[in-house]
Amino acid sequence: MTRSGATDRLLDRFLTELRGLTPVAAWAHGSLGGGDYQEGRSDLDLIVVLDGTITARTVWRVALLHARLRTEPLVAKLHCTYLTPATAAGAERRHLTWAHQRLFKRTVTPVTRRELHTFGLVLSGQPPEQLLPPVTDDELAEFVARDQRDFWRPQVDRSADWTQDVWVDLGLVTHARAAVTLREGRLITKREALGLLPGLGAPVEVVQDVRRRRYEEPGATGREWAARRGQLTRDYLGPAIDRLVAAYT
């Protein structure tokens, strides 16, 4: 895990600003919780549980909190969803979220919930097991298979997306992680997923490209390679997702 003063400073400032909202707990999941965090490349994925109802005033105060952090170098990577003890249950419920430097609502998925219970990092307050209902293996598997079928499989057919680094990276890594979760019932890191992808039939040169940009020197992606890489990824992912979903649904 690559983490230095910039990450710690942002987290410290965030937790300091958060005190005025009387948080019950603050947790990190994703790469920071799982030990695969790469500063400047990984997102800072956080969950905060607030005491009481989230009102219009609460929303205003959350927006103000994030505005005060805007000068921090890594702030664009900070994503945080806000729950309350009364709203923590239910993976389909949508919660106030700050991500991509704006406010909106989204769910806390079964994958995120399992991450929090398995390797969530407690930044302050109570641990996840005291506030967040556990996720069963069946619930986790159902969500992962549905995500591959209903989100990622249609995306494979949208060719314009796959010239972008983020789609190639997430598409491949998410598929490998889904395969392990469905076959073994466990969660793995992005690093582990990249190690498994060649054995799953993914194009080796694309996997090497993803690994280089995540763990070495990213560099610029030329248009010709971006187009070829995208096609290779789509040619692999379409049939791979179909086989995975057919085997586990």
Side-chain angles (χ1 to χ4, degrees):
M1 180 170 68
T2 304
R3 176 175 162 183
S4 74
T7 299
D8 290 337
R9 173 181 165 80
L10 177 56
L11 289 174
D12 288 346
R13 279 207 62 194
F14 174 76
L15 293 172
T16 298
E17 297 286 354
L18 188 63
R19 289 174 189 162
L21 288 166
T22 61
V24 176
W27 311 314
H29 61 100
S31 298
L32 189 62
D36 191 30
Y37 177 73
Q38 301 296 305
E39 186 167 270
R41 302 178 191 180
S42 300
D43 290 331
L44 283 164
D45 296 311
L46 309 180
I47 299 287
V48 166
V49 182
L50 298 178
D51 185 20
T53 304
I54 293 180
T55 63
R57 176 171 172 77
T58 309
V59 174
W60 176 81
R61 294 179 69 187
V62 166
L64 190 60
L65 179 159
H66 288 280
R68 286 196 292 263
L69 300 175
R70 64 184 178 273
T71 59
E72 293 293 332
L74 300 176
V75 72
K77 297 289 187 180
L78 191 153
H79 302 162
C80 185
T81 295
Y82 294 85
L83 318 179
T84 71
T87 64
E92 301 301 320
R93 187 190 293 266
R94 295 166 68 243
H95 306 273
L96 179 67
T97 298
W98 176 271
H100 312 296
Q101 303 192 66
R102 64 186 181 92
L103 282 173
F104 57 98
K105 287 189 175 183
R106 70 179 179 190
T107 63
V108 178
T109 70
V111 169
T112 295
R113 292 167 182 269
R114 177 61 70 88
E115 285 181 357
L116 286 164
H117 278 279
T118 305
F119 52 73
L121 179 63
V122 178
L123 301 176
S124 70
Q126 300 180 36
E129 55 267 26
Q130 293 187 12
L131 297 167
L132 202 65
V135 177
T136 68
D137 290 344
D138 286 346
E139 289 171 336
L140 181 63
E142 180 183 355
F143 171 80
V144 167
R146 187 172 69 246
D147 184 57
Q148 288 285 291
R149 182 193 66 213
D150 295 349
F151 179 78
W152 284 106
R153 187 60 182 89
Q155 290 296 333
V156 171
D157 295 329
R158 299 188 174 103
S159 59
D161 293 338
W162 296 91
T163 59
Q164 302 174 46
D165 293 349
V166 65
W167 282 97
V168 171
D169 297 2
L170 283 179
L172 288 171
V173 167
T174 302
H175 176 69
R177 297 173 85 178
V180 171
T181 298
L182 290 172
R183 292 169 186 169
E184 303 176 24
R186 65 187 181 94
L187 301 178
I188 62 172
T189 66
K190 291 178 180 178
R191 187 185 290 273
E192 290 176 277
L194 286 171
L196 293 173
L197 275 164
L200 295 173
V204 173
E205 60 188 314
V206 178
V207 176
Q208 290 173 339
D209 177 69
V210 176
R211 185 187 301 278
R212 175 182 56 80
R213 285 184 289 101
R214 179 169 175 80
Y215 298 108
E216 300 170 18
E217 290 301 321
T221 301
R223 291 181 62 184
E224 184 177 342
W225 168 238
R228 182 168 178 270
R229 180 189 65 183
Q231 190 61 55
L232 288 169
T233 303
R234 294 172 66 218
D235 289 346
Y236 163 69
L237 275 180
I241 291 173
D242 290 342
R243 289 192 298 270
L244 185 66
V245 170
Y248 291 94
T249 57

